[in-house]
C-alpha cells in the first residue's frame, strides 16, 4: 500500500512532546475530518476484507478509535488491549522491553478464542515493541493473526522488522 498523501497532510508533528527529543505524530487533525477518517478506515480495512477476520484488536488508547471503525467494516468484533491495571476482569498479559525498563500490556482472558482470526491495529508503529508484544498475547490464545494495520509508520525506527516474519503489515502513511 502506497503512503497516502491526503492523509499525510493531516498529521501534525509536535516537537518535544511528551518529552524533549520526541517528534510526536498528532493524528487529531485527521480524526477531526470525516472524509479523512473514513478514507483511513477504508484504506486499512481493504487488504483484510477477504481474510475472514473475526476480531480487531486496538492497542491503547489511540488504537481504539480506528480499531472500532475497522471492526465495523470487517464485520468483526473489537477487543481492547490495554496497559497494566486498566481492564476490570481477569487478564492475560505480556511483558516487553522498552529502551529503559519494561512495559506490560493486557487483554481480557475470554476476549479471543482459539478459532478467532485477528487483525492488530494501532495508530502509530514506532519501535514496533508494543505491536510485537501484542502478537505474543494473541498467539497465547491459539488464534490466528491475519495481519497488522497501522495508520502511520515511523520508518526510521524500523519497527516493522520487529514484527513476526510472514505476518502482513499494512500502513496508510509512511514518514
Ligand atoms: P512502539 O515504540 O512501536 O512500541 O510504540 C509505542 C506506542 O507509542 C504506540 O502505541 C505508538 O502509538 C506510540 N508512539 C510512539 N512514538 C510515537 C510518536 N512519535 N508519535 C505518536 N505516537 C507514538
Amino acid at each position: 500500500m502506497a503512503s497516502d498523501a491526503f492523509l499525510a497532510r493531516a498529521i501534525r508533528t509536535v516537537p518535544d512532546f511528551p518529552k524533549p527529543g520526541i517528534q510526536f505524530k498528532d493524528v487529531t487533525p485527521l480524526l477531526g475530518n470525516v472524509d479523512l477518517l473514513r478514507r483511513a478506515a477504508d484504506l486499512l480495512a481493504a487488504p483484510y476484507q477477504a481474510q475472514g477476520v473475526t476480531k480487531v484488536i486496538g492497542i491503547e488508547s489511540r488504537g481504539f478509535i480506528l480499531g472500532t471503525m475497522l471492526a465495523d467494516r470487517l464485520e468483526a468484533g473489537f477487543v481492547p488491549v490495554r496497559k497494566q491495571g486498566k481492564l476490570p476482569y481477569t487478564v492475560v498479559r505480556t511483558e516487553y522491553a522498552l529502551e529503559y525498563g519494561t512495559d506490560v500490556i493486557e487483554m481480557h482472558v475470554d476476549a479471543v478464542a482459539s478459532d478467532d482470526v485477528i487483525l492488530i491495529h494501532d495508530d502509530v508503529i514506532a519501535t514496533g515493541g508494543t505491536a510485537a508484544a501484542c502478537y505474543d498475547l494473541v498467539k497465547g490464545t491459539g488464534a490466528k493473526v491475519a495481519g497488522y494495520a497501522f495508520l502511520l509508520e515511523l520508518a526510521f525506527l524500523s519497527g516493522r522488522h520487529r514484527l513476526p516474519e510472514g505476518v502482513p503489515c499494512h500502513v496508510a502513511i509512511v514518514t
Side-chain angles (χ1 to χ4, degrees):
M1 186 188 296
S3 185
D4 188 277
F6 288 102
L7 297 180
R9 277 199 283 276
I11 303 295
R12 175 164 57 199
T13 302
V14 182
D16 301 319
F17 183 88
K19 48 188 179 188
I22 306 278
Q23 301 284 317
F24 190 84
K25 298 296 179 186
D26 176 16
V27 301
T28 62
L30 187 156
L31 300 178
N33 178 312
V34 63
D35 294 329
L36 296 179
L37 190 57
R38 287 188 178 142
R39 183 182 180 90
D42 288 345
L43 275 175
L44 290 177
Y48 295 104
Q49 285 292 359
Q51 304 293 316
V53 172
T54 57
K55 284 179 183 144
V56 177
I57 284 182
I59 301 176
E60 180 172 348
S61 59
R62 291 183 307 271
F64 296 170
I65 303 162
L66 271 167
T68 49
M69 294 180 74
L70 291 174
D72 181 59
R73 278 162 173 71
L74 296 172
E75 297 188 57
F78 176 79
V79 173
V81 160
R82 302 203 65 181
K83 297 282 165 62
Q84 190 163 22
K86 299 283 185 75
L87 287 167
Y89 184 59
T90 310
V91 296
V92 287
R93 70 183 50 154
T94 298
E95 190 172 319
Y96 60 102
L98 300 173
E99 197 177 352
Y100 302 104
T102 59
D103 215 341
V104 173
I105 52 171
E106 297 179 336
M107 177 174 79
H108 275 153
V109 67
D110 58 356
V112 170
S114 58
D115 59 352
D116 273 321
V117 178
I118 304 295
L119 172 62
I120 299 174
H121 164 72
D122 201 355
D123 67 333
V124 174
I125 176 168
T127 66
T130 312
C134 192
Y135 179 86
D136 294 340
L137 209 50
V138 174
K139 288 318 278 182
T141 68
K144 180 183 170 206
V145 177
Y148 287 98
F150 299 100
L151 179 58
L152 187 147
E153 175 182 11
L154 295 171
F156 75 98
L157 290 173
S158 302
R160 203 182 268 254
H161 301 299
R162 271 179 84 173
L163 303 182
E165 225 178 291
V167 177
C169 174
H170 292 284
V171 176
I173 308 162
V174 180
T175 64

